[in-house]
Amino acid sequence: RFLADPRKFALGVCNGCQMFAALKDIVPGAAAWPAFRRNRSEQFEARWSLVEVLQSKSILFDGMAGSKLPIAVAHGEGRAVFDAEGDLARLKAAGQLAMRYLDHQGRVATSYPFNPNGSPEGITSVCNDDGRVTILMPHAERTIHGVTGSWWPQAFAGKTPWFRMFQNARKWVG
């Protein structure tokens, strides 16, 4: 009932991402979501990666499309595995792909180490069809303060661009 209520939203990060993906049958508009399985590297990956926020329906990524940002990664089971042929294409067409890994040249990361888990097309975040439920493997919540990572422009006043996800959540709640 919670997820069916249009006044509610949810965010699943890392293990929460895996959990929501496993429960996709009760998440409205999530039928094409992947499961998240063992990294192709066969090891736990804990480091910084580069991602691009895609144009999607995610309420949390509102106004962030096109952003290319470093983000903390810490997972051993983050590889997106789709149940059916065509699910990835369905997510693309529906505006449900929210984020993907990039290489150091800003291109879609299709190989290790830039794609830390081996997900097709670098996929690392999806949302449901109305954008209220967003799941992602990397840890945006670990990177909202500029002091936790690398250099950030002073214009961000101590917060990184990831802080906008949480501002978007607040704005959406009203």
Side-chain angles (χ1 to χ4, degrees):
R1 287 193 317 245
F2 178 89
L3 295 171
D5 186 338
R7 299 167 298 159
K8 306 276 175 60
F9 73 98
L11 168 65
V13 176
C14 197
N15 294 111
C17 174
Q18 295 163 338
M19 179 200 69
F20 273 117
L23 296 172
K24 71 181 182 180
D25 292 341
I26 65 168
V27 179
W33 279 7
F36 292 88
R37 302 289 184 236
R38 186 88 177 132
N39 296 342
R40 288 224 186 272
S41 66
E42 293 293 323
Q43 62 187 4
F44 185 84
E45 301 288 342
R47 56 191 165 83
W48 289 91
S49 286
L50 183 64
V51 294
E52 177 182 23
V53 179
L54 302 172
Q55 184 65 48
S56 73
K57 294 178 180 178
S58 172
I59 64 166
L60 297 177
F61 292 136
D62 184 41
M64 295 178 70
S67 298
K68 296 176 181 179
L69 303 166
I71 195 166
V73 171
H75 61 264
E77 298 87 22
R79 181 173 47 92
V81 176
F82 291 91
D83 291 340
E85 185 74 31
D87 279 350
L88 178 55
R90 279 188 276 287
L91 289 175
K92 283 181 186 178
Q96 291 180 256
L97 293 182
M99 193 165 46
R100 62 185 173 190
Y101 291 110
L102 299 177
D103 68 15
H104 64 292
Q105 299 293 323
R107 298 175 301 222
V108 175
T110 58
S111 61
Y112 187 83
F114 304 109
N115 181 330
N117 50 45
S119 290
E121 300 184 29
I123 299 307
T124 190
S125 177
V126 296
C127 66
N128 73 329
D129 65 358
D130 67 4
R132 293 180 304 106
V133 183
T134 302
I135 60 174
L136 57 144
M137 282 307 301
H139 289 273
E141 83 288 355
R142 292 185 185 179
T143 54
I144 62 170
H145 292 287
V147 297
T148 60
S150 189
W151 174 87
W152 292 96
Q154 288 294 23
F156 293 118
K159 301 280 192 254
T160 72
W162 292 114
F163 189 65
R164 183 161 185 173
M165 282 179 59
F166 303 99
Q167 290 173 314
N168 283 339
R170 177 67 179 111
K171 180 176 83 175
W172 190 82
V173 170

